[in-house]
Each structure stands twice: as C-alpha cells, then as structure tokens.
Amino acid sequence: MATFQTLPGFREFYPDALARRNHVFRLWRQTATTFGFNEYDAPVLEPLELYKTKSGDEIEAQLFSFTDKGGREVALRPEMTPTVCRLVGEKANALKRPIKWFSIAEFYRYERMQKGRGRCFFQFNADIFGEPGIEAESELIALLVQCLCAFGLSEQDFYVRLSDRNLWFYYLEALGLDDARTRAMLSAVDKFEKSGDEAFNSYSEQFGPLDAALKEKVLAFLRVKSLPALEAILSSVPGEKLAARLTDWRRLLGNLEAMGLARFVEVDLAVVRGLAYYTGFVFEAFDRKGELRALAGGGRYDNLVGKLGYGELPAVGFAIGDMTFALLLEQRGLMPTFVQAPDIYAVIGGAQERLAAFGDIHALRAAGFKVDYPMKEVAFGKQFKAASESGAKLALIYGGDELAKGVVKIRDLTNRSEQEIPRDQVLATVKDFYSQH
Ligand code: HAM
C-alpha cells in the first residue's frame, strides 16, 4: 500500500530533532529577554492582501495562498514583519516606547528547495518600533550577534554585513537617477553578487542600454567595504543628505565598537536586501566560510506601519532562520546531542507492587523528577536491563518481599550499590541523591 509522504520542503521533527530545535529556541528566547524584548505571537494564516505589494515581488510569488470556505483570499505567513506592524499599529498609542518585541514562529514560502532552504522554516524575529535613531540599529545588531554567540559561535564563524538603502538612494539621486530608475538599479545591485552583469538586464530592458560610466559608478559604490572607503567615495559626491548620513554611520559603528562588537560587523554596500519595505540601514549575517545561505537579515522599515493604514511609526528589525543556523552549529560541532534519560526507573514486581509503586511514581513526578517504568508486567531481568539502558541514575525496586517489610530498594545504577529505605522516605532519599549528583 502506498504510504503518505510529507509535502516537499515540509519538515517533521522526531524527538531528537525537536530537542535540538527546542535548545535553539530556548537560547534565542533567553537572549532576547536579557535585551529587554517581550515575546508575542500571531496567526499563521493571514489575509493575502497583507503581503501584496508590501513584502515585495519575490515573496509574493512564493506565497502559499488559497480562498477559504468563506471566500476570503488568505495566505500562510511567509514572514512576520507585516503582521507585527499590524499588532503594533492597532495599539500604538497604548504601548510604551520604544516597543521591543520578539517572536519565534514558523513561516511558509514556496521556494526552490536547496541546502538550508525549505518551504517551511522557523524564524526568530526581533523588532523595535518608535525609535527613529541609530540607537535601534545598535541594539538590534547587538542582539543578532549575541543570539549567535550564545551558542559558542565567534567572529571566526560568522559576520554581519552592514549597508544602507538611504545611502544608495542619495547616491543614485546624486548620479541623476529618478525614483523608478533607482528602484530598478537597487534590484540589480541585490542580484549582482549572484548573477554578475546579467543583474543589469532588467534595468536595461526598462530604461535602455546602461551607460558605462553610470555602471562603473554603481559598481564602485557596491564594492565599498569600509568606512574610510565610503568617506573617500562620497567626498567627490556633493549633497547635505549624504554628509548627514555619514554622521549616522560613524555613530552606529562607534556604538558597536563600544559594545565590543566591531569585529563582527563589516561595511558592505553590496547588500541592499530584496524585500520591498526597507528604508535605511540593512544588514545580513553570513557564515565566514561563505558556504551557506544567509543566516539572518533585517533593516529599517520606517514606512510599513503607515502603509498598512496606521499612523507612521519608525521600525527596525531582523529575523534569523533556523535552518542555516542549525547547519552552521552542526558544522562547528556546537549542536549538542540530547539524551532523553529519566532520573529514576521503577522496577516493579506484580500487580500489587505496581499499585504501591504508582503512588511513589506520581509523587516523584509531581516533585519534578523524570520517572519511567514498564507499562506491562515483565521479568525482573528485562526490567533491570531497561533501567540501565534508560540512562537513569537510580532504580527503585518494588518487589513483594520489600513491600511486605514496608521498604523499597534503591539502586545506584552507576556503581550498582543498593540500600533499603522505608516507603515514606522515597522522595526525601531521591531528593538527597540528586542534590549531590
Ligand atoms: P528574510 O531575509 O526574507 O527577511 O529572512 C530572514 C532569514 O530567514 C534568512 O536569512 C534565512 O535564514 C531565513 N529564511 C528565509 N527564507 C527561508 C527559506 N525558504 N528556508 C529557510 N530559511 C529561510 C525577512 O523575513 C524579514 N521579514 C526580516 C525582518 C524582520 N525584517 C525586519 N524585521
């Protein structure tokens, strides 16, 4: 008979895989909390309209969307950003600023599958609303770095590429490009790393052959990899906006340096981000070896809350994806293996002993100990084998003789020593043992 397969790109988490996922989520959650971020959650199914024109062509083309039984056009969320804007927009006046929120949730994109890319994946999203200055970027880049360092990764393993769509807008404006040309050019810049000169095809199709001098100037800007290089290239380009922006850059890099994070951050104007809503600083995290797809991406999006029909509210945020991240941890040997061992294994004689054991087992569990026992009556030998294979450090032995004496045998499974303890001392003895082990 044919069996059912998971849909392509969808993932199942067997217990060992789920233990690894939980470990990652636990440390992300802990890190966000130390930075003063509050956790929120939201629906997985949203009105299709929420993503139309807001997220950008690429995400729009990847939506899992359908018409529900009530005739509504809906989509599985491909990202959290429009949703979190709605949540904040709805209650903007009641929320204390700055609003620092995070979430860990699953997303769906109908993507071509490849290493580190699936059709469903988790993201840790962190966003700050209500802060127009670079203080928000400083805080978020620091959080991003710490979310990776918390697992033992260092600057030798990953780095954050920092760029700025504002600088690109001002620079291309100074080169004489109008808004439509600027957007087409940024889309070319976004693709250049992957596609080389072909990235400019769409620009040429729309606006005629690309002027060689213009292309050279764009490529020179795209190759900027440091603040001095940026200052040098801008020294020949007039414009107050550009000069003011350089001040923001110096302050942001200064903050990161003061936090001891300069070693993680590289100026790299080749990054412009594919999503439509970014307005200012943008950043992406990559593995140093350059073997994996992006670990994380984010930036400022000051217009999105307003575009969704709420009052204007400045915003910055980023998301780390779980798939590339797990690959990096595994490559570096930083993903622990989790052993799901009980603390105590109960070895039980017959039906009477079983009833006696149940009372202790439940009391031990209620006190927080992990206790396991055989579901069915089996020979003692088999139970002892199961006890030692379980990984438990202690076995409690409920035999007829012991119960007749009002005692239970407790066996240290590591050194095989045994002692008899009165029934009413079981919890106290186990507590005492585990306080020393
Ligand atoms: P994004 O760059 O589309 O940004 O995604 C962020 C991260 O999610 C990526 O760097 C990658 O690790 C992971 N990711 C994205 N697509 C997939 C996929 N198909 N399979 C596996 N992992 C994937 C955003 O989503 C923005 N909303 C981030 C943001 C938050 N901006 C502001 N706030």
Side-chain angles (χ1 to χ4, degrees):
M1 202 176 80
T3 52
F4 294 102
Q5 305 289 316
T6 41
L7 291 168
F10 280 75
R11 296 191 287 164
E12 288 162 325
F13 291 87
Y14 281 72
D16 53 341
L18 191 63
R20 290 193 290 274
R21 188 181 99 187
N22 284 340
H23 163 70
V24 169
F25 290 1
R26 194 164 43 241
L27 282 190
W28 281 344
R29 191 168 271 128
Q30 217 173 63
T31 307
T33 309
T34 63
F35 277 68
F37 282 65
N38 290 318
E39 189 167 6
Y40 66 93
D41 201 1
V44 66
L45 197 64
E46 289 278 23
L48 176 63
E49 199 54 34
L50 191 62
Y51 308 107
K52 286 222 151 162
T53 70
K54 280 115 193 161
S55 293
D57 298 345
E58 199 180 324
I59 282 199
E60 216 180 304
Q62 295 170 341
L63 285 174
F64 277 89
S65 57
F66 58 95
T67 310
D68 77 3
K69 287 181 179 159
R72 296 173 203 91
E73 296 284 317
V74 293
L76 286 173
R77 61 184 173 199
E79 59 158 339
M80 193 57 109
T81 314
T83 299
V84 70
C85 285
R86 182 188 62 220
L87 261 69
V88 169
E90 284 287 343
K91 302 232 160 112
N93 292 334
L95 296 168
K96 224 170 102 225
R97 314 275 175 95
I99 300 154
K100 294 164 61 174
W101 282 11
F102 80 96
S103 61
I104 298 174
E106 193 169 24
F107 299 92
Y108 306 86
R109 296 184 193 176
Y110 201 90
E111 281 222 45
R112 205 163 46 82
M113 267 118 46
Q114 44 190 306
K115 204 170 164 207
R117 281 285 176 278
R119 291 187 177 162
C120 71
F121 54 95
F122 286 85
Q123 279 184 348
F124 165 86
N125 273 263
D127 294 84
I128 297 182
F129 293 87
E131 175 48 61
I134 54 96
E135 288 68 26
E137 279 87 344
S138 315
E139 181 82 338
L140 284 160
I141 294 170
L143 173 59
L144 167 57
V145 169
Q146 190 51 33
C147 275
L148 275 61
C149 288
F151 293 81
L153 293 167
S154 75
E155 73 272 23
Q156 264 124 50
D157 302 308
F158 78 94
Y159 68 116
V160 178
R161 302 165 77 190
L162 178 62
S163 180
D164 182 1
R165 282 174 72 97
N166 264 353
L167 264 191
W168 271 105
F169 284 130
Y170 302 155
Y171 181 73
L172 295 177
E173 188 184 32
L175 296 183
L177 267 61
D178 60 16
D179 197 54
R181 282 180 173 76
T182 297
R183 287 185 185 280
M185 189 59 89
L186 283 184
S187 158
V189 170
D190 186 40
K191 295 187 181 80
F192 185 74
E193 206 161 55
K194 221 187 260 136
S195 323
D197 276 353
E198 272 180 29
F200 295 102
N201 287 355
S202 158
Y203 182 93
S204 313
E205 278 159 25
Q206 285 179 69
F207 303 107
L210 182 59
D211 177 70
L214 172 64
K215 183 178 162 191
E216 226 8 82
K217 285 190 169 136
V218 167
L219 289 183
F221 206 55
L222 180 153
R223 292 191 181 115
V224 166
K225 293 259 186 301
S226 68
L227 187 59
L230 181 58
E231 287 166 333
I233 203 165
L234 291 182
S235 64
S236 59
V237 187
E240 273 169 33
K241 284 191 286 193
L242 280 172
R245 196 59 179 158
L246 272 181
T247 309
D248 288 341
W249 268 87
R250 287 187 200 104
R251 288 184 46 232
L252 175 54
L253 291 176
N255 282 357
L256 293 168
E257 169 129 40
M259 291 176 188
L261 304 179
R263 63 188 193 279
F264 290 98
V265 181
E266 290 185 10
V267 177
D268 190 341
L269 294 194
V271 173
V272 290
R273 306 270 300 139
L275 293 161
Y277 44 68
Y278 291 113
T279 53
F281 283 105
V282 283
F283 46 93
E284 283 183 341
F286 283 89
D287 67 300
R288 278 274 182 204
K289 288 192 184 154
E291 289 171 352
L292 305 170
R293 302 272 315 253
L295 291 158
R300 181 169 280 280
Y301 52 102
D302 283 347
N303 304 332
L304 189 54
V305 180
K307 259 198 192 154
L308 292 173
Y310 304 101
E312 293 289 333
L313 192 62
V316 197
F318 70 84
I320 312 176
D322 72 318
M323 292 178 72
T324 328
F325 186 65
L327 284 173
L328 181 63
L329 288 184
E330 267 151 29
Q331 270 188 8
R332 300 293 191 275
L334 292 170
M335 184 68 98
T337 37
F338 293 91
V339 189
Q340 315 263 16
D343 299 316
I344 300 140
Y345 196 94
V347 173
I348 305 166
Q352 272 311 106
E353 292 85 348
R354 182 167 284 264
L355 294 180
F358 277 161
D360 291 350
I361 289 171
H362 193 77
L364 284 162
R365 286 172 169 173
F369 292 101
K370 289 183 263 175
V371 189
D372 221 345
Y373 64 92
M375 286 272 150
K376 293 257 158 51
E377 237 181 276
V378 283
F380 265 128
K382 270 198 176 157
Q383 293 193 51
F384 280 118
K385 190 161 173 271
S388 58
E389 282 172 4
S390 75
K393 288 200 177 118
L394 286 181
L396 285 171
I397 303 153
Y398 292 85
D401 294 348
E402 284 86 11
L403 286 185
K405 286 195 279 177
V407 299
V408 176
K409 244 190 223 153
I410 188 161
R411 179 186 287 194
D412 182 329
L413 290 167
T414 323
N415 64 14
R416 305 196 154 243
S417 63
E418 253 179 27
Q419 79 183 96
E420 284 185 351
I421 47 167
R423 286 283 312 280
D424 60 2
Q425 290 300 306
V426 170
L427 181 58
T429 313
V430 168
K431 272 189 180 159
D432 189 46
F433 175 88
Y434 270 104
S435 67
Q436 296 167 37
H437 287 81

